[in-house]
């Protein structure tokens, strides 16, 4: 196998400045992922740690230990219409985390498989199973739009021996809020007259 090395773009001074500037936001996005997909968070954290320790470092590149995201990739998408697609590189259970930013745009995020059209204003955060659900972003009439797309690559996880996470289930969320019972069906209310 070839050794793991950092990408040319990761070594760029501009990229390192940008990553440093968004470091607090990335930690926030990690925390959100820990809530909505706990096993994905664990898998991403394990993969990032293993990649960091296995990557060959040169004096010219930034240390991989400074990569704060649990996602194996970030992409900045600026003022682009995104045609309907499914993401090719992740596992079925990998969520993408998409942060819609910009100024004054009124973009719509479409999920064709669900026949859903969602407001995608600046400040919107979407977690989506990008390999499962076909999604797109159509044209907008006003404003500037950019998205920070967070994703995981299945081949990266495979390379460092990290298993695919299971899909999140209702019990994951109930455990987060401290529910200890296993029967969560709605209870029938009995009306008593006095």
């Amino acid at each position: 196998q070839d050794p793991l090395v950092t990408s040319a773009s990761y070594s760029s001074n501009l990229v390192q400045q940008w990553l440093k500037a968004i470091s607090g936001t990335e930690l926030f996005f990690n925390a959100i992922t820990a809530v909505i997909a706990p096993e994905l968070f664990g898998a991403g954290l394990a993969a990032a740690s293993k990649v960091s320790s296995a990557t060959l470092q040169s004096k010219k590149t930034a240390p991989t230990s400074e990569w704060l995201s649990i996602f194996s990739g970030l992409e900045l998408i600026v003022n682009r219409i995104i045609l309907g697609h499914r993401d090719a590189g992740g596992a079925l259970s990998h969520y993408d985390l998409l942060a819609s930013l910009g100024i004054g745009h009124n973009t719509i995020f479409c999920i064709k498989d669900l026949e859903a059209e969602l407001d995608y204003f600046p400040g919107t955060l979407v977690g989506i199973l990008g390999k499962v659900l076909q999604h797109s972003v159509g044209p907008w009439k006003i404003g500037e739009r950019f998205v920070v797309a967070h994703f995981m690559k299945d081949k990266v996880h495979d390379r460092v021996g990290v298993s695919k996470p299971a899909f999140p289930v209702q019990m994951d969320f109930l455990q987060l809020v401290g529910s200890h019972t296993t029967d969560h069906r709605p209870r029938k209310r009995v009306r008593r007259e006095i």
Side-chain angles (χ1 to χ4, degrees):
Q1 275 187 340
D2 291 330
L4 290 175
V5 295
T6 56
S7 68
S9 61
Y10 183 75
S11 301
S12 157
N13 285 334
L14 286 174
V15 168
Q16 286 302 312
Q17 289 172 15
W18 181 70
L19 289 172
K20 190 171 280 194
I22 67 165
S23 61
T25 306
E26 285 307 307
L27 294 174
F28 178 65
F29 291 156
N30 289 351
I32 289 170
T33 305
V35 172
I36 65 172
E39 284 193 35
L40 180 68
F41 172 79
L45 193 61
S49 175
K50 289 181 176 190
V51 164
S52 180
S53 64
T55 301
L56 292 178
Q57 298 287 306
S58 75
K59 293 180 181 177
K60 295 180 181 180
T61 61
T64 54
S65 59
E66 292 181 14
W67 181 262
L68 296 178
S69 180
I70 54 117
F71 292 91
S72 54
L74 301 176
E75 183 175 359
L76 188 60
I77 303 167
V78 180
N79 286 336
R80 262 188 27 213
I81 294 171
I82 306 297
L83 300 176
H85 69 284
R86 289 184 176 85
D87 302 331
L92 293 174
S93 60
H94 285 174
Y95 275 85
D96 297 334
L97 197 62
L98 310 172
S100 176
L101 304 166
I103 300 170
H105 65 77
N106 57 351
T107 312
I108 301 294
F109 186 86
C110 299
I111 306 172
K112 183 178 180 182
D113 302 307
L114 302 177
E115 297 180 6
E117 292 186 350
L118 310 171
D119 289 334
Y120 201 41
F121 300 130
T124 303
L125 192 62
V126 174
I128 185 170
L129 294 168
K131 188 168 186 162
V132 176
L133 297 171
Q134 183 177 341
H135 52 287
S136 63
V137 177
W140 62 99
K141 294 181 177 146
I142 59 169
E144 298 290 323
R145 180 182 91 83
F146 70 96
V147 171
V148 181
H150 300 74
F151 53 89
M152 292 188 184
K153 292 291 188 184
D154 199 27
K155 287 184 178 182
V156 171
H157 286 218
D158 288 347
R159 173 70 186 267
V160 295
V162 174
S163 300
K164 293 169 184 54
F167 288 93
V169 293
Q170 181 181 9
M171 187 56 69
D172 294 334
F173 302 107
L174 294 172
Q175 288 172 345
L176 282 174
V177 297
S179 178
H180 300 291
T181 63
T182 56
D183 183 7
H184 296 285
R185 292 175 290 173
R187 301 274 186 233
K188 183 177 179 182
R189 291 187 178 211
V190 178
R191 177 183 253 185
R192 294 186 180 152
E193 295 184 28
I194 302 177

